[in-house]
Amino acid sequence: MSGLKTGNDARKAFGAQLARLRKMRFGSLRTRIALLYAGLFALVLGLVVSLAAGGLSRFGEASAARDLEANARVFDEILAARARQMGDQAGVLASDFGFREAVATGDEPTIASALASLETRAGTDTAFVLTLDGEVLAADASAVPSPESLWTRLDAGQARGIIRSPRGLALAAAAPIEAPDLIGWLVIAQPLDRAELDRLVELAPIALEAQVVETGGQPAWLRDASPRTVFEREAEGERLLYHTSDLAVLEDGIHPRLVLRHAVAQSLAAYASLKIWLIALAIGGIALAVWISWKVARSVTEPLQQLDAATRLIGEGREVTLKVETDDEIGRLAESFNQMVVAIEEREREIIHVGLHDGLTGLPNRKLFTEQLANTLARRRSGERILVAYVDLDDFKMVNDTLGHPAGDALLRTVADHLREDLPDALVARLGGDEFAVLIDSIDDKANLGTIADSLQRSFDRPITVNDQSAACSASIGIAVAPGDGADGITLMKNADLALYRAKHEGKASYHFFEPGLDEAARQRRQLELDLRAAIKDGGFELNFQPLYSLREKRLTGFEALIRWNHATRGRVKPIEFITLAEETGLIIPIGEWVLREACHQASTWPEDVSVAVNVSPKQFASSGIAATVLSALSASGLAPSRLELEITESIFIADVDATLATLHSLRNLGVRIALDDFGTGYSSLSYLRSFPFDKVKIDRSFVEDLGTSGNGHAVIRAITTLAAALGMETLAEGVEDVAQFEVLEREGCQNIQGFLFSKPVAADAVAALLRDGAGYQRQLRA
């Protein structure tokens, strides 16, 4: 490689650069490499050899001390891990319902059997129960320390430590027995005898001796040593390293220590032969360094000089191409350099494009759209308007869920193509997900903005086929127009987003222009969301209960739990206001969990033949762990699963029917009852009744209201009750407000009634009074 292929100016500059480098013979890179590497190796290896002799011994001693200290930590961790393992095993038995019942009732055979099984599983030889009365329940109570020596530590919350045992000191772990209050402690212990310590020593990388002894049994020099430090002591002409650790105790009156001992001579023996090897390596290394330095200097420096000159020219912005003359590494380096120059230019162009465009559709991204909007606003002339539209595809998630994400991507690309075709003079961008933005400028003051919005809406009216399947593609559009709705890009885009939010809430597949009131509505919505989060955190909700009356049993058989929110400044907030917001923000999940737990807690205080019904929102149902949440609420309250009824709507089936049915069956397996709410309002209600055996069908209040206005209202009720009876399901009519409706429902075979005819929802403390007066309902209705 000798020359450069470039213009005359570049060639002259490159030649001058090489000439300057060649004049510096002694100070050239070749000489510096040879001298630097040879001198550096000689200096380093000489220092290593001179210092190694004295340093090896100190290093060996320090290494042995570190190893001893590290092994001490390992011993402590192993003992702690073993104690935690024993504690976990004890905790499993202590939380077992049967075992707690046996301890509570003093069932000694069951306790003895459980303790024997625990000793076998845990690999221990001592397990006993210490009751709050100071009684010891164990196969051999004589092997157990006195309860008085254990109470102080257990009461202080300590659950692991050392105790005495017939075989010496032992590692013990305790677990509380609660039913649900504390009734005693379950303790298991494993002796730390010689065999156990020898097994731990085998895990150490150095030779050790380990002992666990009480402080009183140690010599004075060892007893007075600071714990968790390594110190040296000579005994019988041998240097020994010691390390002591104070161990946690579970029994008063003992002070055990873990003592580790290591002989220094064993560590230093491994370093004796290193001195000879270091000297030999130093001599060979210096010779090798001199030879390699010269070879590297001669083979590398000349091409590097040319590369250096070429790099400088590239840094000046000139075009340079190295001439490839060989096919070795240097030649390949020159070729790679040329390819790098081309790749840098190409990547710069790609980076600029990727940074400003969406990878899926090729449309401009948010950054480019924002920049273009700012530029357009800056050059807007008087009398011109600029329209910004935010577009959000309706129910796009359903396309992904039903047809798959590749189909969703294909749909987005098709939508982008349609927008480009229909709006050739507009700037169309994809902001992310299923959101697009459209910028139309130079709109005359007299132009009809509604016509422009209609043409934009029609772009989504085309039928779209993805993977030979028809995909619905409507869109909600929010529109803001400058200068009236904002003079800068940030304000204009924010207002278009507010208009989009209103369009989606007005029924989707429509557009909405920004109005000043939307900004205030958004502020109020945000404040309501903040208040809602505070209410969740501070417990600002309460439950009311509406009675459920059984026509067959002629009594109140349950209550439906209804959430209420008494705001500190706004007063009582209607559920329709904050429940809708909670659904949109995802706050319905923690709210739903609270309602479930509180409803089970309240119902646990009612008679055992009275149940509670709780509504489960689709978003709460779709969240992972709904079955675990229900089980936790039942366990915490002690409510029988058969007394809990979960009310769901058919909208839970929309996303994934198989997953929904699996969740319903898991809930049914817990023993709770499942009711289908608002039956008859959806187009798929009948198919869902065939898919899952619901316990109850709730007839929507709209059918009950029709009993007084529609001639076929009786027939509808009769059809529903007949269908439910054929499928083995109960029926409940909502919204019953007068005796005439009651009589029709009773005559047509409806089994349960709910509505203001009996009672409005009442506070939890009024449930007892309703239950007392429930027997008079039938007499009142018949009067």
Side-chain angles (χ1 to χ4, degrees):
M1 180 169 55
S2 61
L4 292 172
K5 192 176 170 182
T6 183
N8 291 332
D9 293 340
R11 186 181 295 109
K12 290 179 181 179
F14 185 60
Q17 183 72 17
L18 285 177
R20 287 194 299 270
L21 292 173
R22 289 193 179 103
K23 288 179 181 179
M24 303 173 59
R25 301 306 299 172
F26 184 80
S28 66
L29 181 61
R30 179 186 305 176
T31 304
R32 292 200 303 271
I33 288 176
L35 292 179
L36 179 62
Y37 274 87
L40 183 61
F41 269 88
L43 177 62
V44 171
L45 291 177
L47 289 174
V48 170
V49 172
S50 63
L51 295 176
L56 281 176
S57 297
R58 291 189 296 272
F59 177 79
E61 295 173 2
S63 178
R66 286 194 301 270
D67 289 343
L68 183 60
E69 189 172 9
N71 278 276
R73 290 194 297 270
V74 172
F75 268 64
D76 291 341
E77 291 173 1
I78 292 175
L79 290 175
R82 176 58 176 153
R84 285 195 299 272
Q85 180 186 21
M86 294 165 57
D88 292 342
Q89 292 169 328
V92 170
L93 180 59
S95 62
D96 181 77
F97 178 82
F99 182 76
R100 291 183 293 168
E101 183 178 16
V103 174
T105 59
D107 186 356
E108 294 186 1
T110 300
I111 296 173
S113 175
L115 293 178
S117 176
L118 176 61
E119 291 175 358
T120 302
R121 290 195 311 271
T124 61
D125 64 350
T126 302
F128 59 92
V129 173
L130 183 61
T131 68
L132 294 181
D133 297 329
E135 181 182 3
V136 176
L137 306 178
D140 182 10
S142 62
V144 178
S146 63
E148 293 77 12
S149 64
L150 300 175
W151 276 124
T152 302
R153 307 286 178 171
L154 293 175
D155 287 343
Q158 186 168 340
R160 295 186 289 272
I162 304 299
I163 64 172
R164 292 190 185 95
S165 74
R167 292 172 56 185
L169 297 177
L171 180 64
I177 305 172
E178 300 174 337
D181 296 328
L182 182 68
I183 61 174
W185 293 84
L186 172 60
V187 183
I188 60 175
Q190 175 65 40
L192 292 174
D193 54 13
R194 183 74 267 158
E196 183 68 18
L197 292 175
D198 288 343
R199 283 194 295 270
L200 296 178
V201 166
E202 290 176 0
L203 301 176
I206 60 175
L208 294 176
E209 294 182 13
Q211 284 184 305
V212 176
V213 295
E214 289 196 49
T215 305
Q218 301 173 359
W221 60 269
L222 185 59
R223 185 171 56 251
D224 297 335
S226 300
R228 298 195 177 279
T229 58
V230 177
F231 62 96
E232 182 178 336
R233 182 177 176 83
E234 186 171 346
E236 298 179 358
E238 184 178 13
R239 296 169 60 194
L240 301 173
L241 294 179
Y242 287 85
H243 183 282
T244 64
S245 301
D246 291 330
L247 299 179
V249 298
L250 199 60
E251 178 181 353
D252 291 337
I254 60 174
H255 303 282
R257 270 188 172 184
L258 172 65
V259 181
L260 302 181
R261 188 174 71 173
H262 171 65
V264 178
Q266 293 178 345
S267 296
L268 296 181
Y271 299 95
S273 61
L274 289 180
K275 296 180 181 179
I276 299 174
W277 281 104
L278 283 174
I279 295 173
L281 288 174
I283 297 173
I286 292 174
L288 181 63
V290 172
W291 182 77
I292 291 177
S293 298
W294 180 252
K295 294 289 291 184
V296 171
R298 192 173 70 177
S299 62
V300 174
T301 53
E302 288 185 3
L304 287 180
Q305 289 174 351
Q306 296 186 25
L307 285 172
D308 177 62
T311 304
R312 291 175 183 272
L313 292 175
I314 291 176
E316 296 173 1
R318 303 186 187 184
E319 294 183 1
V320 178
T321 302
L322 289 177
K323 185 178 180 180
V324 180
E325 296 183 342
T326 63
D327 58 356
D328 59 6
E329 289 83 356
I330 299 300
R332 291 194 294 273
L333 178 62
E335 185 176 359
S336 298
F337 179 85
N338 294 333
Q339 294 174 355
M340 180 189 69
V341 172
V342 175
I344 287 174
E345 296 175 353
E346 181 64 26
R347 287 174 184 171
E348 285 180 350
R349 290 191 292 269
E350 291 179 359
I351 289 171
I352 293 173
H353 184 272
V354 170
L356 297 175
H357 291 79
D358 173 52
L360 178 64
T361 63
L363 293 175
N365 61 12
R366 182 185 293 272
K367 177 176 171 51
L368 180 56
F369 184 83
T370 304
E371 292 176 355
Q372 292 297 321
L373 175 59
N375 294 336
T376 303
L377 289 170
R379 63 173 182 265
R380 186 186 68 85
R381 294 193 298 266
S382 177
E384 289 183 348
R385 291 180 291 178
I386 297 173
L387 181 146
V388 173
Y390 263 23
V391 180
D392 186 87
L393 302 185
D394 298 328
D395 301 321
F396 177 72
K397 183 178 183 298
M398 186 179 299
V399 176
N400 278 335
D401 292 339
T402 57
L403 301 181
H405 287 276
D409 292 344
L411 176 64
L412 292 174
R413 286 192 291 267
T414 302
V415 169
D417 293 339
H418 288 175
L419 289 172
R420 273 190 288 248
E421 294 172 8
D422 296 342
L423 305 168
D425 298 328
L427 174 65
V428 181
R430 182 184 177 215
L431 304 184
D434 60 341
E435 293 184 356
F436 295 85
V438 178
L439 169 63
I440 303 176
D441 62 351
S442 302
I443 302 175
D444 188 80
D445 272 345
K446 298 179 181 179
N448 189 337
L449 296 177
T451 302
I452 299 175
D454 288 335
S455 65
L456 178 58
Q457 187 76 58
R458 282 195 299 271
S459 184
F460 299 93
D461 293 340
R462 305 186 192 180
I464 295 179
T465 301
V466 178
N467 297 338
D468 298 327
Q469 298 186 63
S470 178
C473 181
S474 64
S476 299
I477 305 172
I479 301 173
V481 181
D485 297 336
D488 61 273
I490 294 177
T491 303
L492 207 59
M493 293 177 70
K494 182 196 74 171
N495 291 340
D497 194 24
L498 291 174
L500 172 63
Y501 179 81
R502 174 61 61 87
K504 293 189 77 68
H505 278 261
E506 288 184 350
K508 303 180 181 179
S510 63
Y511 61 83
H512 197 284
F513 285 91
F514 172 75
E515 301 168 357
L518 295 179
D519 204 4
E520 176 61 21
R523 188 196 66 78
Q524 294 179 358
R525 180 180 181 275
R526 177 57 180 164
Q527 184 59 49
L528 184 62
E529 180 183 346
L530 294 175
D531 293 345
L532 193 58
R533 293 182 183 275
I536 295 173
K537 179 181 178 182
D538 302 333
F541 300 110
E542 64 182 30
L543 288 185
N544 282 8
F545 296 90
Q546 187 170 33
L548 309 178
Y549 184 79
S550 172
L551 294 173
R552 181 176 56 191
E553 300 182 32
K554 305 298 186 290
R555 68 179 184 88
L556 296 181
T557 57
F559 291 85
E560 180 179 1
L562 301 172
I563 189 170
R564 295 293 183 265
W565 180 18
N566 289 317
H567 193 278
T569 57
R570 299 176 55 176
R572 174 158 288 191
V573 182
K574 295 180 179 180
I576 189 63
E577 296 181 21
F578 71 88
I579 292 297
T580 302
L581 179 60
E583 287 278 3
E584 295 173 357
T585 59
L587 296 177
I588 193 66
I589 294 177
I591 292 176
E593 292 179 357
W594 177 86
V595 171
L596 188 60
R597 294 179 183 276
E598 181 65 14
C600 290
H601 169 70
Q602 293 292 341
S604 66
T605 65
W606 303 343
E608 293 185 356
D609 58 351
V610 178
S611 62
V612 64
V614 178
N615 287 281
V616 178
S617 74
K619 185 164 290 188
Q620 182 186 5
F621 187 88
S623 65
S624 59
I626 179 66
T629 300
V630 171
L631 181 59
S632 175
L634 292 172
S635 300
S637 63
L639 185 72
S642 59
R643 295 177 60 194
L644 174 63
E645 183 176 281
L646 301 180
E647 296 184 0
I648 62 171
T649 60
E650 68 177 51
S651 58
I652 67 169
F653 290 93
I654 292 177
D656 189 337
V657 175
D658 292 337
T660 298
L661 291 176
T663 302
L664 287 173
H665 283 292
S666 66
L667 292 171
R668 170 67 66 77
N669 292 336
L670 295 178
V672 302
R673 292 165 55 84
I674 309 294
L676 181 60
D677 199 4
D678 298 336
F679 179 77
T681 59
Y683 66 89
S684 298
S685 296
L686 293 179
S687 64
Y688 297 144
L689 285 184
R690 293 196 309 166
S691 301
F692 183 79
F694 290 95
D695 297 288
K696 181 183 293 184
V697 173
K698 297 191 70 175
I699 303 173
D700 188 71
R701 64 176 59 247
S702 60
F703 297 108
V704 177
E705 293 171 355
D706 286 347
L707 292 178
T709 60
S710 174
N712 61 1
H714 295 218
V716 172
I717 296 296
R718 186 183 310 116
I720 295 176
T721 56
T722 302
L723 174 63
L727 295 175
M729 303 176 188
E730 295 184 27
T731 52
L732 182 146
E734 298 178 295
V736 180
E737 297 185 358
D738 58 51
V739 176
Q741 293 171 340
F742 171 87
E743 293 174 346
V744 171
L745 291 167
E746 184 179 32
R747 186 168 59 251
E748 298 299 344
C750 185
Q751 297 158 304
N752 300 279
I753 300 295
Q754 175 184 358
F756 287 0
L757 175 63
F758 301 104
S759 172
K760 293 183 177 181
V762 299
D765 56 8
V767 170
L770 282 179
L771 290 174
R772 286 195 303 270
D773 299 339
Y777 278 130
Q778 184 68 16
R779 294 191 299 271
Q780 179 181 351
L781 293 170
R782 295 302 183 189

